[in-house]
Amino acid sequence: MKGISGLDFKFQLYVYRQFFLGGNIGSSYLEVEDSSVTGNYDKTTINEQYLYLGYEFLLFDDWRLGVMYSFIGDAIYKNNNFSGPSKGIQTDTASYKGYGLYINYELSDHFMFYFEYIYRNDKTRIKAPSEIQDFFERARFNNIGIGIKFTFGRRDLIS
């Protein structure tokens, strides 16, 4: 599969200093490059939601480097545009695990620009013949994102 685009909505709560807890709801849009491997469909939408924890390093005045790990999450794969007589939609589910790294640049007190990289490893619940089960058992992705971040407040919960 080839990634086309995606959209994420995240929230972070700073618990103690730069340690944070967060949540994400998002979608990724993929195109199938070889349907003989994945199945007889053209594209997939993955809807994911997960909780994560992490830490931010304060590099310079306006720069932050963050690391994060998602510890609870789910993904729903919606496969569509089937060709031939089997038109329709088919769904698969997976548990989501992700490891991320991002850098923020603060444009103002409540507005930031960011760049992130997330390696995700989804453990699917797809049942397949034993000869090919290993191939369908996991889906691994490298996600790169850019975006804007809005912040509210400037303090952690436990100071």
Side-chain angles (χ1 to χ4, degrees), residues 74-158:
D74 287 309
I76 299 171
Y77 290 68
K78 186 171 143 183
N79 308 314
N80 53 27
N81 284 358
F82 283 81
S83 55
S86 59
K87 293 190 184 291
I89 296 173
Q90 180 259 328
T91 60
D92 294 310
T93 59
S95 59
Y96 177 101
K97 291 285 187 221
Y99 308 90
L101 179 69
Y102 65 84
I103 190 158
N104 288 348
Y105 177 70
E106 294 181 18
L107 298 169
S108 70
D109 283 346
H110 301 287
F111 186 69
M112 297 178 208
F113 177 76
Y114 76 92
F115 176 80
E116 76 176 352
Y117 167 78
I118 296 177
Y119 171 75
R120 65 185 280 182
N121 186 356
D122 294 356
K123 183 172 180 5
T124 68
R125 297 179 185 98
I126 298 171
K127 301 295 180 207
S130 59
E131 297 83 14
I132 59 172
Q133 181 63 41
D134 287 347
F135 178 77
F136 287 99
E137 193 169 53
R138 295 204 179 271
R140 294 174 180 94
F141 300 96
N142 294 296
N143 291 355
I144 295 174
I146 58 171
I148 55 173
K149 207 182 252 191
F150 300 99
T151 62
F152 305 97
R154 299 291 293 174
R155 298 198 46 173
D156 54 350
L157 281 178
I158 307 166

Side-chain angles (χ1 to χ4, degrees), residues 7 11 17 19-20 22-23 27-28 30-31 38-39 48 53 58 60 69 79 83 86 97 104 114 121 124 144 153 156:
L7 183 64
F11 69 90
R17 299 190 184 243
F19 288 99
F20 59 81
S27 293
S28 300
L30 302 118
E31 227 173 49
T38 60
E48 64 260 359
L53 52 90
L58 305 175
F60 308 107
Y69 165 69
N79 308 314
S83 55
S86 59
K97 291 285 187 221
N104 288 348
Y114 76 92
N121 186 356
T124 68
I144 295 174
D156 54 350

Side-chain angles (χ1 to χ4, degrees), residues 38-70:
T38 60
N40 196 21
Y41 52 92
D42 299 329
K43 53 186 172 177
T44 297
T45 301
I46 307 172
N47 295 312
E48 64 260 359
Q49 53 277 331
Y50 57 88
L51 297 176
Y52 60 91
L53 52 90
Y55 184 80
E56 280 187 351
F57 299 92
L58 305 175
L59 300 177
F60 308 107
D61 283 344
D62 297 328
W63 293 89
R64 294 172 179 245
L65 175 70
V67 293
M68 56 189 235
Y69 165 69
S70 68

